């Protein structure tokens, strides 16, 4: 077993979409991270859940949009390679997603990045109560 905390099983990472979790740094600042499938070993990669162009979240609780092995920014359409994090189009062209180190062993994904510890599955605000408004637009 790798040194690190178990995040989830590989089977929980959708073939087309993402698995969202929250990690904390040494100062307890929380960061959302997405796990996405990748054709390269180990078969799953982890990226911070924000576009490099305008800090737009890829996964807002229902999975990131994935098209042809690329993570799609829902705001401007920039596409990031799911394996390398590199973007060669749209407003984010020439940038690369900040990665988070993970390892896969025996069908499980482990957080092995020394800069983070696992907080919980889901996004930062998933534990917050929802809106009590009954207004619909």
């Amino acid at each position: 077993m790798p040194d690190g905390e178990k995040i989830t099983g590989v089977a929980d990472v959708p073939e087309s979409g993402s698995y969202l979790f929250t990690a904390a740094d040494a100062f307890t600042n929380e960061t959302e991270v997405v796990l996405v499938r990748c054709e390269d070993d180990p078969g799953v990669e982890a990226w911070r859940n924000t576009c490099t162009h305008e800090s737009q979240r890829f996964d807002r609780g229902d999975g990131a949009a994935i098209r042809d092995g690329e993570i799609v920014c829902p705001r401007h359409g920039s596409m990031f390679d799911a394996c390398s994090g590199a973007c060669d189009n749209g407003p984010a062209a020439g940038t690369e997603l900040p990665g988070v180190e993970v390892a896969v062993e025996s069908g499980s994904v482990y957080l092995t990045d020394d800069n983070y510890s696992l907080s919980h599955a889901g996004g930062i605000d998933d534990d917050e109560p929802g809106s009590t408004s009954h207004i619909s637009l």
Side-chain angles (χ1 to χ4, degrees):
M1 181 169 82
D3 289 336
E5 301 169 273
K6 181 179 176 183
I7 302 167
T8 191
V10 171
D12 295 328
V13 181
E15 291 291 334
S16 182
S18 60
Y19 179 92
L20 178 64
F21 71 95
T22 299
D25 66 16
F27 302 102
T28 67
N29 297 313
E30 291 188 316
T31 299
E32 289 184 350
V33 181
V34 290
L35 294 174
V36 294
R37 293 292 182 119
C38 173
E39 293 180 4
D40 298 343
D41 282 336
V44 174
E45 290 293 336
W47 307 105
R48 291 185 59 175
N49 188 31
T50 53
C51 178
T52 55
H53 175 236
E54 285 188 358
S55 298
Q56 173 70 38
R57 295 169 66 207
F58 297 117
D59 184 335
R60 294 175 276 179
D62 55 357
I66 306 284
R67 185 181 312 137
D68 298 325
E70 295 185 306
I71 304 166
V72 182
C73 174
R75 180 172 229 157
H76 293 108
S78 292
M79 298 173 72
F80 298 83
D81 184 273
C83 296
S84 71
C87 179
D88 63 4
N89 61 67
T95 65
E96 191 171 297
L97 294 175
V100 175
E101 292 179 26
V102 295
V104 174
E105 188 173 304
S106 301
S108 294
V109 183
Y110 295 87
L111 178 60
T112 57
D113 196 310
D114 291 336
N115 296 311
Y116 297 103
S117 62
L118 181 63
S119 290
H120 61 272
I124 290 173
D125 295 329
D126 284 359
D127 292 334
E128 299 293 319
S131 170
T132 57
S133 172
H134 297 287
I135 299 172
S136 62
L137 302 173

